[in-house]
């Protein structure tokens, strides 16, 4: 504890000026609201995601399993990972053909690390929400849908309900009262994994998924 | 594996800088990289009002955090601990490495996989682990490249910015078994992906930095594009995060503006691919994530900056690198010439606290004071003012009250002191001043041709044949 006491002691020794007024974050965000309609927000989300080279598809709720199936077949997916015990996984299981195996994440990663890294072609997860301004998906992994589903497989399918769309990060955080209920790990994902570390040349599929495939589920047809 | 490349800027900064300036290929690399990054940033801020408003807000957030730093650090520690994250305090590099080694020994770790962390560079983590028989492998593509080459990062955001794809192709074909020479960037990145994918799966510990530590929730935020940061903090059984004590913010809602201004200033991205908020180790029932999470809070001289009302602004930094991207000196000499972990303008103002002014004072003079860094700084650090202050500290009499830092006065030379003393004498006595200026204009033919650094690339300074006062007197007649 000595280092701790010494560091804090040195910091305290300096007379603190009156703490300045708290920064006015909320009013800054309020002042720049675009007040867009839902279809405008959806378009903003879509164009930001596509600019980051994500693939975006529209789907009614009843139709997404068939769309995922079609895309998985077209991309040569053989093993598709989903959370365990989720209704999404159950619906997808019914839609997938015999050639594509649905793997449920039902045991700790420690029991099948190599298999996860070496044999899974794609993962499916459901976003908790999305952010229109930056084209970001909010992932909130839990015991059913672990963190690595959206990280380790080379292709990542994400279901996003357009009803969960927020205009910006701050608004999303305040609306969901994140400060009171953060999970073990919360994430924003805004495209496929990428890097520009070699001569500023953009390359995709650095360490995370090479492809991010977003299914915008619009039950009300609000985007139309 | 490589030797540490941190060296003594006092001894070899000029020499190193000059060797880059004399190398057209390297200059071209840096120039084009800086132009690219400047253009990308500009495109992110089409509206001046948005930019200036966001800078005001980000600066206010950082100043607010620093004003209550000890209280926030305690709150952070309390909340992290309640969340199950273990907090360690390190006064210096040695402490930080010892803490990491203790953890590594306890969990019998052989391999550490690293996400990008400049603080880990600051404490020379990789070499210390290597000495203890533990592999510490970089997984950020740029960091992986410089580690493979036995070098250090030359930029805090783009570590391998000094390398061309031809050099990287050569490096991979020599150092990675079974890889043929290819200059195709996608192919090179896929080589890195394949090599490191195995390493993520095998590593015992993942090490990462921290972009923002949130006191209110006890959370660690990481910003990245590649996914290696997520890998390092999710796949191994133990995650160790290391950060400077200044990275704390009071509230979670302070994060969105800082994140926005960080990515837009750094690489001209509206957002990065991943924003990762870590609040707990793996909970019962969860199937992945590390079972242990540790945070090492490093001082390493930061409290010295904190103690000074003016220099405290140094700690507002969010490490975006915009100051170096816009610095005419950095653009010409690159990052390695500085010889410090943090190069460029931020390096010149933070390094004296980390390593002592005696070891780093030439960096404060490696600036034209053009103010480009201050103009782009997203948290409004008055960088030029701090550079001038550090120049004064470097020249201060060590026993005077102007000398407040470790190593103050180290830049004083007998010659410079004598010259300034003479100058002050002449300029404070009218008769002496007139006599001196008269004799200098009469004796102008005696002006030396070699005037040291001045004449290396300029014509010699020669006093005017007639003094201003002589000209004025003539005109009045």
């Amino acid at each position: 504890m000595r280092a701790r006491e010494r560091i804090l002691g040195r910091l305290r020794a300096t007379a603190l000026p009156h703490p300045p007024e708290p920064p006015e974050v909320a009013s800054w965000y309020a002042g720049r609201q675009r007040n867009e309609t839902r279809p405008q927000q959806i378009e903003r989300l879509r164009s930001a995601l596509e600019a980051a080279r994500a693939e975006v598809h529209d789907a009614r709720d009843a139709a997404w399993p068939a769309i995922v199936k079609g895309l998985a077949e077209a991309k040569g997916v053989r093993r598709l990972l989903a959370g365990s015990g989720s209704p999404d996984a159950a619906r997808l299981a019914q839609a997938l053909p015999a050639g594509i195996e649905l793997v449920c994440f039902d045991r700790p990663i420690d029991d099948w690390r190599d298999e996860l890294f070496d044999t899974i072609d794609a993962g499916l997860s459901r976003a908790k929400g999305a952010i229109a301004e930056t084209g970001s998906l909010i992932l909130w992994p839990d015991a059913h849908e672990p963190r690595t589903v959206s990280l380790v497989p080379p292709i990542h399918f994400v279901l996003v309900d357009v009803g969960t769309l927020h205009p910006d990060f701050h608004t999303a955080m305040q609306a969901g009262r994140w400060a009171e209920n953060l999970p073990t790990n919360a994430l924003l994902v805004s495209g496929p994994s990428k890097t520009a570390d070699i001569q500023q040349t953009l390359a995709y599929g650095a360490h995370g998924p090479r492809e991010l495939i977003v299914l915008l589920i619009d039950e009300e047809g609000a985007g139309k | 594996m490589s030797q540490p490349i941190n060296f003594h800027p006092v001894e070899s900064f000029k020499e190193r800088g000059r060797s880059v300036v004399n190398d057209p290929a390297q200059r071209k690399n840096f120039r084009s990289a800086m132009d690219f990054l400047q253009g990308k940033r500009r495109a992110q801020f089409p509206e001046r009002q948005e930019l200036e408003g966001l800078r005001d807000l980000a600066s206010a957030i950082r100043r607010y955090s620093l004003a209550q730093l000890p209280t926030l650090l305690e709150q952070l520690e309390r909340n992290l601990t309640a969340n199950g994250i273990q907090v360690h305090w390190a006064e210096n590099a040695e402490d930080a490495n010892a803490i990491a080694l203790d953890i590594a020994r306890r969990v019998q770790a052989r391999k550490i996989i690293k996400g990008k962390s400049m603080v880990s560079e600051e404490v020379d983590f990789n070499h210390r682990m290597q000495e203890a028989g533990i592999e510490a492998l970089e997984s950020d593509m740029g960091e992986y490249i410089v580690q493979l080459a036995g070098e250090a990062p030359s930029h805090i955001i783009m570590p391998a910015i000094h390398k061309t794809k031809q050099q990287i192709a050569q490096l991979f074909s020599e150092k990675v078994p079974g890889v043929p020479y290819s200059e195709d960037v996608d192919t090179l990145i896929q080589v890195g992906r394949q090599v490191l994918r195995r390493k993520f799966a095998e590593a015992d510990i993942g090490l990462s930095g921290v972009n923002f530590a949130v006191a209110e929730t006890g959370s660690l935020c990481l910003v990245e594009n590649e996914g290696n940061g997520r890998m390092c903090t999710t796949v191994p059984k133990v995650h160790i995060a290391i950060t400077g004590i200044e990275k704390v913010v009071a509230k979670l809602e302070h994060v969105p503006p800082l994140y926005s201004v960080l990515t837009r200033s750094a690489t001209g991205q509206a957002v990065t691919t991943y924003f990762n908020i870590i609040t707990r180790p793996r909970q019962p029932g969860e199937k992945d994530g590390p079972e242990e999470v540790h945070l090492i809070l490093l001082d390493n001289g930061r409290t010295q900056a904190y103690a000074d009302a003016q220099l405290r602004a140094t700690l507002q930094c969010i490490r975006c690198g915009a100051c170096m991207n816009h610095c005419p000196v950095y653009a010409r000499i690159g990052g390695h010439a500085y010889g410090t972990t943090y190069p460029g303008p931020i390096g010149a103002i933070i390094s004296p606290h980390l390593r002592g002014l005696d070891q780093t004072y030439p960096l404060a003079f490696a600036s034209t004071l053009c103010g480009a860094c201050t103009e782009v700084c997203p948290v409004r650090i008055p960088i030029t003012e701090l550079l001038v202050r550090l120049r004064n500290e470097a020249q201060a009499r060590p026993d005077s009250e102007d000398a407040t830092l470790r190593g103050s006065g180290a830049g004083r030379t007998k010659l410079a002191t004598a010259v300034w003393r003479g100058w002050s004498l002449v300029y404070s006595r009218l008769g002496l001043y007139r006599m001196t200026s008269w004799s200098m204009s009469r004796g102008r033919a005696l002006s030396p041709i070699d005037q040291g650094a001045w004449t290396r690339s300029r014509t010699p300074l020669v006093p005017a044949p007639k003094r201003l006062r002589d000209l004025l007197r003539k005109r009045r007649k």
Side-chain angles (χ1 to χ4, degrees), chain A residues 6 12 148 182 193 199, chain B residues 74 91 165 226 280 288:
Chain A
R6 284 205 210 108
R12 286 237 170 67
T148 41
L182 279 174
S193 155
Q199 232 176 285
Chain B
E74 282 183 308
E91 280 198 282
K165 61 184 173 189
E226 295 185 359
R280 274 177 281 274
D288 60 10

Side-chain angles (χ1 to χ4, degrees), chain A residues 69-122:
Chain A
K69 169 198 166 250
L71 290 167
E73 279 181 320
K75 291 173 189 296
V77 172
R78 290 209 301 265
R79 305 192 81 202
L80 198 160
L81 177 67
S84 69
S86 76
D88 291 340
R91 287 178 59 192
L92 189 58
Q94 291 183 342
L96 288 181
I100 302 179
E101 182 193 352
L102 183 72
V103 180
C104 281
F105 206 134
D106 54 6
R107 56 207 154 121
I109 186 173
D110 321 83
D111 298 348
W112 68 300
R113 198 179 303 252
D114 287 345
E115 188 187 336
L116 170 64
F117 271 79
D118 300 337
T119 73
I120 302 291
D121 304 306

Side-chain angles (χ1 to χ4, degrees), chain B residues 303-370:
Chain B
T303 45
Q304 172 178 273
Y306 189 81
D308 184 285
Q310 184 185 27
L311 299 173
R312 182 180 294 177
T314 312
L315 303 178
Q316 283 167 222
C317 179
I318 55 172
R319 303 283 190 269
C320 71
C323 58
M324 57 198 77
N325 297 345
H326 291 77
C327 177
V329 176
Y330 179 92
R332 280 162 184 78
I333 65 172
H336 284 158
Y338 289 81
T340 47
T341 302
Y342 308 95
I346 182 61
I349 62 170
I350 189 77
S351 307
H353 304 292
L354 310 183
R355 291 178 59 185
L357 197 57
D358 49 330
Q359 299 216 17
T360 53
Y361 70 84
L363 306 185
F365 294 85
S367 164
T368 62
L369 301 182
C370 72

